[in-house]
Amino acid sequence: MMSIGIGLAINQSLAVCDGLLNVGADFVRTPKHGVVNRKQSLSGKRYRSGKTWVVCLESLMLAYLAVTLAFAVQHAHYWSIPFLAMFCIGYLYVMGLSLYQNR
């Protein structure tokens, strides 16, 4: 859970900055797929998110953390390795979901 929370840091930071700066960006709700009763299902309906540049930021952060993790392993900074691995896993997971939903 901590990894996912770390991976969401970019999305949450951008949302806070948009709110503080009063940018006026539209709030886009999660689509409900038109399911209104129990006879309908979500089986044939798929969610697709809008294309944003946040995926680029996530990939840059993942690359930075991967290089930092390799540096920590190479220079035997053993206390840093678990935390850096957790950060990498979080950003990899969130970036993977972003890419999957943008397809």
Side-chain angles (χ1 to χ4, degrees), residues 4 8 11 47-49 55 58 90-103:
I4 295 171
L8 289 173
N11 291 321
Y47 173 70
R48 218 178 225 170
S49 68
V55 179
E58 291 169 348
Y91 277 103
L92 181 65
Y93 180 76
V94 171
M95 188 185 74
L97 283 179
S98 296
L99 289 174
Y100 177 74
Q101 292 174 352
N102 282 335
R103 62 180 168 87

Side-chain angles (χ1 to χ4, degrees), residues 47-94:
Y47 173 70
R48 218 178 225 170
S49 68
K51 296 186 188 284
T52 63
W53 51 273
V54 177
V55 179
C56 295
L57 284 176
E58 291 169 348
S59 63
L60 286 173
M61 192 64 180
L62 178 62
Y64 169 73
L65 288 169
V67 168
T68 307
L69 179 62
F71 182 84
V73 169
Q74 183 180 12
H75 293 285
H77 294 284
Y78 297 119
W79 291 100
S80 302
I81 293 172
F83 297 103
L84 291 170
M86 186 171 53
F87 296 166
C88 284
I89 290 168
Y91 277 103
L92 181 65
Y93 180 76
V94 171

Side-chain angles (χ1 to χ4, degrees), residues 10-22:
I10 291 177
N11 291 321
Q12 297 301 318
S13 298
L14 290 174
V16 168
C17 289
D18 284 346
L20 287 175
L21 298 176
N22 205 9

